[in-house]
Amino acid sequence: KDVAQICLSLCFSANSLFGMGNPLLDICAVVDKDFLDKYSLKPNDQILAEAKHKELFEELVKKFKVEYHAGGATQNSIKIAQWMIQEPHKVGTFFGCIGKDKFGEILKEKAEEVHVDAHYYEQDEEPTGTCAACITGDNRSLVANLAAANCYKKDKHLDLEENWKLVEKAKVYYIAGFFLTVSLESILKVAKHASENNKLFCMNLSAPFICQFFKDNLMQVMPYVDVLFGNETEATAFAKEQDFDTKDIKEIARKAQALPKDNKKRQRVVVITQGKDETVMIETFPVVKTDPKYIVDTNGAGDAFVGGFLSELVQEKPLDQCVKAAHYAANVIIQRAGCSFPEKPDFK
């Protein structure tokens, strides 16, 4: 067993997996249709908070029973990957911006608890970002108030020598599409480093609005993307914006795979999830079936899928094993509140 452990730690070590994104404190509650209608929310969607959503956060806390969880898409995926890996600790590194406040302190504590090596850029102009997760049945409508998360600065954090050294230590990188609204230059610096050094850069479409309103930013990064994640709604929105002229998920995956790529040593892998239906990666993979009565909360299922996938990818496992781990992690998370998990995984 000791020899196996040594071999494993040689294969991947601390800071092998790097993530950068929007650290948010999730405020989760089961709500009713009237609440969604009042704030013009779709049952299953992700949006950025606007002026009309200002009172939503206060009403959510006053009217419903809320739970607080450390969140933000990329941070969720990195912590799930670390949970799946278990040892060594701090395989996952995370960069993002928080405020110098109570919520920021909670995020730091939560990252430490799950053994993620979080290095936050801390500033006092904006408070730590929050995300309202409004749950109805199997659906979740996410409203993100980025606040501090929107203040990440390449020159103030990513470019610092001690931080860039952590980027260089990694061999797999993951950034959710949500960060395209914050710091394109930071993403491009990391993506180009990965491409030039034949490392793996992974990205997520994240939400239809990213594909629609931030497509120029998205397409600047796309040539460096080795693994592209998305769900069927995001993939359909992406296909429409890219004039793929198809709604067939397998065909969308093929066309996304064929988009121009900087590092010709690797073919792009496209992974599209479809909820309880099969996952498409040119070939399809059946998902782990869960009895609906055991589904507590689908918030974080997509992040958990990515986290499970990355946990095997960083260990250089074959892609079918990556998908298997992804399905396992997502299946665990939907049976719990928020993006939370038991002490240890039971994945073989």
Side-chain angles (χ1 to χ4, degrees):
K1 192 184 173 188
D2 291 343
V3 174
Q5 197 61 45
I6 290 164
C7 292
L8 245 183
S9 58
L10 284 173
C11 169
F12 70 117
S13 53
N15 311 112
S16 295
L17 173 63
F18 175 86
M20 182 167 59
N22 300 329
L24 304 173
L25 192 71
D26 285 348
I27 306 169
C28 309
V30 175
V31 302
D32 50 35
K33 188 177 180 297
D34 290 346
F35 185 82
L36 295 184
D37 292 345
K38 181 178 177 180
Y39 293 102
S40 310
L41 302 177
K42 294 175 189 169
N44 206 21
D45 201 9
Q46 309 97 331
I47 61 167
L48 292 177
E50 298 171 34
K52 66 181 178 183
H53 299 118
K54 192 172 184 289
E55 287 160 15
L56 177 151
F57 291 86
E58 291 163 21
E59 188 177 340
L60 191 69
V61 174
K62 278 183 192 163
K63 197 171 173 184
F64 303 98
K65 184 172 179 275
V66 301
E67 288 188 8
Y68 294 96
H69 297 279
T74 303
Q75 186 165 238
N76 278 346
S77 295
I78 298 298
K79 75 179 184 182
I80 291 283
Q82 181 64 56
W83 170 69
M84 289 284 286
I85 289 164
Q86 291 283 305
E87 300 277 349
H89 290 168
K90 298 191 174 180
V91 168
T93 313
F94 178 76
F95 285 7
C97 183
I98 59 174
K100 293 178 180 176
D101 51 27
K102 185 185 162 211
F103 283 175
E105 289 303 315
I106 292 172
L107 286 181
K108 285 197 273 188
E109 284 165 23
K110 296 282 185 190
E112 212 165 291
E113 278 171 23
V114 294
H115 310 298
V116 167
D117 194 16
H119 293 257
Y120 297 113
Y121 169 47
E122 297 179 49
Q123 50 73 61
D124 48 19
E125 285 174 34
E126 287 282 345
T128 297
T130 49
C131 179
C134 309
I135 299 152
T136 51
D138 292 349
N139 296 315
R140 86 286 179 265
S141 193
L142 305 179
V143 185
N145 179 25
L146 295 184
N150 209 23
C151 300
Y152 189 83
K153 300 281 187 289
K154 173 177 166 287
D155 57 334
K156 297 272 180 70
H157 194 260
L158 185 68
D159 290 345
L160 300 184
E161 189 182 349
E162 65 270 25
N163 291 336
W164 187 250
K165 275 182 181 167
L166 290 169
V167 176
E168 290 178 324
K169 274 180 84 174
K171 59 182 185 181
V172 176
Y173 302 83
Y174 174 64
I175 299 175
F178 292 123
F179 202 57
L180 288 163
T181 74
V182 175
S183 183
L184 175 62
E185 58 178 0
S186 296
I187 300 174
L188 284 170
K189 183 173 182 181
V190 172
K192 286 174 181 175
H193 167 79
S195 183
E196 286 160 9
N197 293 278
N198 197 28
K199 298 175 180 181
L200 280 162
F201 182 80
C202 313
M203 193 154 206
N204 204 316
L205 294 174
S206 291
F209 82 86
I210 297 291
C211 305
Q212 293 157 343
F213 307 119
F214 293 89
K215 67 176 176 184
D216 290 348
N217 287 9
L218 177 61
M219 296 320 287
Q220 280 191 59
V221 180
M222 193 60 71
Y224 307 105
V225 176
D226 296 298
V227 183
L228 180 68
F229 297 99
N231 65 26
E232 75 278 35
T233 315
E234 294 150 9
T236 305
F238 180 69
K240 188 180 176 190
E241 293 299 323
Q242 299 300 317
D243 298 320
F244 282 177
D245 200 25
T246 181
K247 288 183 179 175
D248 180 83
I249 297 298
K250 284 187 189 174
E251 191 54 29
I252 292 170
R254 281 193 193 93
K255 291 197 171 193
Q257 188 177 44
L259 288 167
K261 193 165 182 302
D262 188 68
N263 180 6
K264 305 287 193 289
K265 293 174 188 169
R266 303 178 187 274
Q267 187 178 32
R268 181 179 294 117
V269 174
V270 180
V271 187
I272 301 171
T273 59
Q274 303 184 92
K276 63 182 184 296
D277 296 324
E278 62 193 13
T279 296
V280 172
M281 193 171 73
I282 306 305
E283 53 185 308
T284 60
F285 296 85
V287 303
V288 179
K289 294 291 180 197
T290 307
D291 188 322
K293 72 179 182 209
Y294 295 121
I295 296 175
V296 174
D297 173 8
T298 57
N299 181 33
D303 301 336
F305 177 95
V306 172
F309 194 101
L310 294 173
S311 72
E312 298 295 293
L313 192 65
V314 78
Q315 297 177 67
E316 298 175 12
K317 299 285 177 69
L319 289 173
D320 60 342
Q321 182 72 1
C322 295
V323 174
K324 195 177 165 190
H327 286 157
Y328 167 80
N331 189 53
V332 169
I333 264 58
I334 61 174
Q335 296 180 62
R336 301 171 67 90
C339 192
S340 62
F341 38 81
E343 189 186 345
K344 291 195 171 169
D346 180 25
F347 177 69
K348 303 285 187 287

